[in-house]
Amino acid sequence: MTTDDHPAAPDSATLDTAAVTAGRSISGASLAPVLHPATTWVVGSVDDHRRDARTPRSTGYYSRYGNPTVHEFEDAVAELEGAECALATASGMAAITAVVLGLCSAGDHVVATRQQFSVSSSFFAAHCPRFGIDVTFVDGTDAGSIAEAAAARPTQLVYAETPANPALSLVDLAALGSITGPFTVVDSTFAGPVVQRPLEHGVDLVVHAATKGLAGHNDALLGVLAGRRDLVEAVWEWHVVAGGQASPFDAWNGIRGLRTLPIRARRQAETALHLARLLEAHPAVARVSYPGLDSHPQRELARRQMATGGTVLAVE
Ligand SMILES: Cc1ncc(COP(=O)(O)O)c(C=O)c1O
């Protein structure tokens, strides 16, 4: 499959260049990112210390507030996602819980798509209610029912995962991005910015389990959220309290992974499509779900919003 089949494909030359150049603002002339394992920095004076303590996301104060290596990873993801800024977390789940607990309070209503990663689902179903956050689950493949549930009563946040883990159903990003009022959030882990960029569709925040494709080498437990600066900073206020910071080493591995993300993502999509076609024709296989297959029930939507069918397929 070429990206010609997919009119939504982002400009690959720009993206490929960004993958190798983004997130270098602190490392200076070093082509490899500099690893800063420090938790604390020396301060020149009490006034400097006071200033740093009051500067949101300062990278030379205390690493729960900000860390230079983590910051470079955040900058790189922000550039790839077309976001104003990003915030890295200790895992994908730390990103998801930080967004919801950072932006929602007791009494708030959240709409979430039913098709989502099992642990995210248990967070919304079992834990949000413990904090007084009421969650309505809707069918993510039905854009109308998402909008209706969000309009039916005051709603603070709409959360969707696309492509969804594990069965690869899709959520219409343009329809989601056109919802006004609640914050809209997309877990884009199964696609990544080479395949789709939810913020370009008007979605407010994109989250990733960077543990997966973004870092891509099975050596970083890492999450990230990206989007509007005011929202990311609001989540950061909670993040500093909750303490789910990304480790500098994992962020460093994450930057190394991002450098080859476009090449890996395209190659994985080619392999996934090849495997999906082979498996679909195999007599022992009941069903293959892959957004790049013509048999996928939302194939047209995949063409509109994804540059390829993505890197993951599901087999029954
Ligand atoms: C779609 C999706 N979101 C979030 C997560 C959670 O990521 P992590 O394991 O880094 O917490 C996963 C993990 O498999 C996932 O597949």
Side-chain angles (χ1 to χ4, degrees), residues 91-94 96 117 120 159 161 163 165 187 189-190 209-212 221-223:
S91 66
M93 285 316 301
I96 293 162
F117 173 52
S120 311
Y159 179 90
E161 183 178 308
N165 177 354
D187 181 338
T189 298
F190 269 23
T211 314
K212 308 292 173 338
L221 188 66
L222 193 59

Side-chain angles (χ1 to χ4, degrees), residues 36-44 49 52 58-64 66-69 248:
H36 293 265
T39 54
T40 330
W41 280 261
V42 172
V43 284
H49 190 75
D52 283 343
S58 162
T59 53
Y61 169 60
Y62 186 65
S63 280
R64 185 161 35 76
N67 171 279
T69 310

